[in-house]
Amino acid sequence: MPQQYPFCAVVGADDPDGPFGEMALALLLTTISPEVGGVLVRGEKGTAKSTIVRALAEVLPRIDVVAGDRFSSDPLDDTHLSPDGPFAADAPVESRPVRLVELPVGATEDRVLGSLHLERALSEGRTEYEPGLLARAHRGLLYVDEVNLLHDHLVDVLLDAAAMGRATVERDGVSLTHAARFVLVGTMNPEEGELRPQLLDRFGLSVEVAAPRDPAVRAEVVRRRMAFDADPAGFTTSYAAAQAALTERVRTAQDLVAHVELTDAGLLKIAEVCAAFDVDGLRADIVTARTAVAHAAWQGRDRVVLDDIRAAARLALPHRRRRNPFDAPGMDDDLLDQVLGDDLPEPPEPPEPEPDPDGPGDPGDPGGPESPDGPDGTSSAGDEGTSRPDDVPQDPAPQGDSPGGSGSTVASGQPYRTRLLTARGTGAGEAGRRSRATTERGRRVGSSTTGSGSVHLLETLRAAAPHQAARGRDGGRLLLRPPDLRFATREGKESNLVLFCVDASGSMAARRRMEEVKTAILSLLLDAYRRRDKVGLVTFRGAAAELALPPTHSVDVAARRLEELPAGGRTPLAEGLLEAGRVLAVERLRDPRRRPLLVVVTDGRATSGPDAVDRSRRAADLLAAQGLSSVVVDCESGAMRLGLAGVLAGHLGAEHLPVGEVSAEALADVARAA
């Protein structure tokens, strides 16, 4: 097994203000208190995200498990939610390191949850459960690199198991539940697309990681990495003492966390912070409270203080402020400091009773027990109470900046729900929510002799039945052979590459028209985000076309490019179509399973260069000959219309869609009128 880069060798690993310190702190806190709910690490490529996560397991204390149990049961846990149980009271116990289980992006649901043991089913005719990755990750770390590229249904499975602490399997004749308490760690590059806000909220903590900008720090990172590559064993040995000390500190914090006190004043302060940042639901409050307790234990305290709440809020709240898919996660430190104030009030000391021979005093008597109010009727607590969320000034609305360059720039309006645009026919691409496709999930429509999905038991039996006599069966169980296996063929939905080819010429530059066009495109981008599509953006104006955004999963980047898009000049329609064709040809080589859907947004005019109209029609005919699915969004408006976009749609073999009918509500109005 290759030598693992030491956790303590990461620059600033124990310093929250260091380049990687906040990430290291979040990982350590969620291992101290797994109830926090895992960590999502967002950052650009090459920022040591995977290196730190893989190194984490090396510094965690060893755990005791029941010997021979495939589900890593805790000997001290009386419930023993393990299919291999029950275990005797004196069952042998073994100690082993915490496991780091990596979940590949291309994993199937069978591999994650487990499934029927096919070899035993075929050779011995009995049903036996083969555990999946969730069982292996119990009481350990489950790491998903590029979690934003993981299929939504697998993300749902992971997060449900992480929240419930168990996994339930109901498939292929198997029905069981096993413990699955693990620390879920996901890393992602935002340039490859975002997680849905609903899924973001299910991660307990979130951190942003960026490469350090200080040349001295960057040089130290490179120096350590080169030293490790030259002598991995020697480099690791040099950090052995620091690793052992960190392991002991984690063990101490794990023992202390159950005894940390979170006062009512601290809990109220957490609620005020969550209310001030306007987060949805109460999960943020719960996670912040658990994280604050874990941070206090990490610092060796038995009571939560203001610094613990501040550290917890910085980790638990930024990704929960993301309401819209195009919003960027963030944290306003000034607002946080204003809500937190200076310090938490100390819990009141219980009063010592004084003997009174005359019995209880009169509340009005100065010698009697004091009332909550002072002698002058005012509160004895003073004016130093916690600040109210209503008194906190809200962030001012962001002001847009007009990008430089020629042409006018118009902002888009409020996006709306769009009608569904799909690719023609039935594909076989990645699972998604747009076009019809043969996928691993969905409605069962048949069977095949090849596949990686669930076994079609009925068709397997049908395939084996004619061969029983030749195989010597004279009664008893059915004799099966590997060629008899049939796998279920299912029809569901796939994701597509939606390539926008946008006319940004002078004929589109009128403010009202460009605003309507940008709003329609933004709405289609939002729809692509929800359907897990890849998107790209080609624009054409003046005398040429350009690829404004190569195909990517990051629709928020596409939205930013759209907002910055200027308009003006002539209309090189042919160049735009040819550039779109070039982009699709390259993408077809990179991702051949993903079918494209070309969305051309134009009024159909072609005014740049000689024979502009004929060249644009020849370019459209060329794309149509490739069998490309496409839609022409007609942006022409006014009383005098030339209908050129409709002609272009005819040459492309595309659906012709007026921009006013992109909205799903407009489609419903048309249907009602018909």
Side-chain angles (χ1 to χ4, degrees), residues 333-356:
D333 290 333
D334 292 337
L335 176 59
L336 178 61
D337 291 339
Q338 186 171 354
V339 177
L340 286 176
D342 296 330
D343 200 1
L344 290 176
E346 292 290 333
E349 295 290 339
E352 297 183 1
E354 297 181 1
D356 186 353

Side-chain angles (χ1 to χ4, degrees), residues 199-240:
L199 299 182
L200 277 175
D201 184 59
R202 297 292 293 275
F203 279 94
L205 309 179
S206 173
V207 292
E208 295 273 349
V209 180
R213 298 296 182 248
D214 185 347
V217 176
R218 297 173 71 99
E220 180 62 20
V221 172
V222 175
R223 185 180 298 112
R224 294 187 185 187
R225 184 69 212 194
M226 293 180 69
F228 174 78
D229 292 339
D231 182 11
F235 184 84
T236 302
T237 301
S238 67
Y239 282 91

Side-chain angles (χ1 to χ4, degrees), residues 44 150 339 358 397 431 512 525 531 550 629:
E44 57 197 17
L150 196 66
V339 177
D358 298 329
R512 184 176 297 275
L525 282 173
R531 300 184 188 280
S629 297

Side-chain angles (χ1 to χ4, degrees), residues 192-532:
E192 292 297 327
E194 291 284 359
L195 278 172
R196 289 181 289 139
Q198 297 90 332
L199 299 182
L200 277 175
D201 184 59
R202 297 292 293 275
F203 279 94
L205 309 179
S206 173
V207 292
E208 295 273 349
V209 180
R213 298 296 182 248
D214 185 347
V217 176
R218 297 173 71 99
E220 180 62 20
V221 172
V222 175
R223 185 180 298 112
R224 294 187 185 187
R225 184 69 212 194
M226 293 180 69
F228 174 78
D229 292 339
D231 182 11
F235 184 84
T236 302
T237 301
S238 67
Y239 282 91
Q243 294 272 102
L246 183 58
T247 300
E248 184 58 32
R249 185 177 176 185
V250 172
R251 181 184 291 108
T252 302
Q254 288 175 339
D255 295 338
L256 178 60
V257 70
H259 306 288
V260 173
E261 179 187 6
L262 175 60
T263 64
D264 289 343
L267 190 57
L268 180 61
K269 184 66 70 175
I270 290 172
E272 289 181 351
V273 169
C274 295
F277 280 92
D278 198 25
V279 295
D280 291 333
L282 294 174
R283 185 176 284 121
D285 304 62
I286 296 171
V287 171
T288 305
R290 289 172 174 169
T291 307
V293 170
H295 189 268
W298 171 245
Q299 296 297 331
R301 291 189 285 265
D302 60 1
R303 178 183 297 168
V304 172
V305 299
L306 211 59
D307 286 343
D308 301 321
I309 298 176
R310 178 180 286 104
R314 289 173 58 86
L315 297 174
L317 298 186
H319 61 299
R320 292 185 166 87
R321 302 191 69 194
R322 192 167 184 260
R323 302 293 192 81
N324 188 293
F326 303 135
D327 293 341
M331 194 74 177
D332 186 340
D333 290 333
D334 292 337
L335 176 59
L336 178 61
D337 291 339
Q338 186 171 354
V339 177
L340 286 176
D342 296 330
D343 200 1
L344 290 176
E346 292 290 333
E349 295 290 339
E352 297 183 1
E354 297 181 1
D356 186 353
D358 298 329
D362 184 1
D365 185 352
E370 291 185 359
S371 66
D373 294 336
D376 58 353
T378 60
S379 172
S380 60
D383 296 327
E384 298 176 359
T386 56
S387 58
R388 297 175 58 85
D390 293 342
D391 299 333
V392 180
Q394 299 299 312
D395 294 334
Q399 300 296 323
D401 295 329
S402 297
S406 59
S408 60
T409 304
V410 178
S412 61
Q414 186 68 25
Y416 46 76
R417 188 170 65 90
T418 65
R419 63 188 299 176
L420 176 61
L421 305 179
T422 62
R424 293 190 297 267
T426 303
E430 297 292 335
R433 299 178 180 178
R434 183 172 295 278
S435 304
R436 287 178 55 193
T438 301
T439 61
E440 294 180 356
R441 292 176 61 85
R443 181 170 56 93
R444 191 165 64 187
V445 295
S447 65
S448 67
T449 56
T450 60
S452 58
S454 59
V455 175
H456 197 310
L457 295 178
L458 179 59
E459 293 300 325
T460 299
L461 296 177
R462 284 180 175 174
H467 307 289
Q468 297 305 297
R471 293 172 183 172
R473 178 175 179 261
D474 56 1
R477 63 184 180 84
L478 195 69
L479 299 179
L480 299 177
R481 298 290 183 268
D484 299 331
L485 277 180
R486 297 294 183 270
F487 297 91
T489 301
R490 300 180 182 276
E491 184 177 288
K493 298 284 188 179
E494 68 176 357
S495 63
N496 298 106
L497 165 61
V498 182
L499 180 64
F500 293 92
C501 185
V502 181
D503 184 350
S505 63
S507 63
M508 304 284 290
R511 176 169 296 275
R512 184 176 297 275
R513 176 184 292 190
M514 201 60 190
E515 179 180 354
E516 185 180 19
V517 168
K518 284 190 174 183
T519 302
I521 299 174
L522 187 66
S523 302
L524 290 169
L525 282 173
L526 183 59
D527 182 68
Y529 169 85
R530 290 168 176 159
R531 300 184 188 280
R532 316 309 291 161

Side-chain angles (χ1 to χ4, degrees), residues 653-672:
E655 178 183 358
H656 177 243
L657 181 64
V659 68
E661 296 181 15
V662 172
S663 167
E665 293 183 1
L667 176 64
D669 292 340
V670 171
R672 283 193 293 268

Side-chain angles (χ1 to χ4, degrees), residues 474-612:
D474 56 1
R477 63 184 180 84
L478 195 69
L479 299 179
L480 299 177
R481 298 290 183 268
D484 299 331
L485 277 180
R486 297 294 183 270
F487 297 91
T489 301
R490 300 180 182 276
E491 184 177 288
K493 298 284 188 179
E494 68 176 357
S495 63
N496 298 106
L497 165 61
V498 182
L499 180 64
F500 293 92
C501 185
V502 181
D503 184 350
S505 63
S507 63
M508 304 284 290
R511 176 169 296 275
R512 184 176 297 275
R513 176 184 292 190
M514 201 60 190
E515 179 180 354
E516 185 180 19
V517 168
K518 284 190 174 183
T519 302
I521 299 174
L522 187 66
S523 302
L524 290 169
L525 282 173
L526 183 59
D527 182 68
Y529 169 85
R530 290 168 176 159
R531 300 184 188 280
R532 316 309 291 161
D533 296 316
K534 290 180 72 173
V535 296
L537 178 62
V538 171
T539 63
F540 55 95
R541 61 187 289 262
E546 67 171 333
L547 178 59
L549 179 69
T552 176
H553 285 281
S554 184
V555 296
D556 52 339
V557 175
R560 289 197 296 270
R561 300 287 173 86
L562 176 68
E563 291 295 339
E564 298 168 358
L565 179 65
R570 291 186 175 273
T571 310
L573 179 57
E575 285 73 9
L577 296 176
L578 292 174
E579 177 65 14
R582 185 194 68 80
V583 172
L584 293 177
V586 172
E587 192 64 19
R588 192 177 298 115
L589 297 175
R590 291 177 177 171
D591 193 356
R593 293 184 59 199
R594 192 182 300 273
R595 292 192 297 164
L597 175 63
L598 177 63
V599 179
V600 183
V601 184
T602 181
D603 57 9
R605 291 182 173 87
T607 61
S608 179
D611 300 325

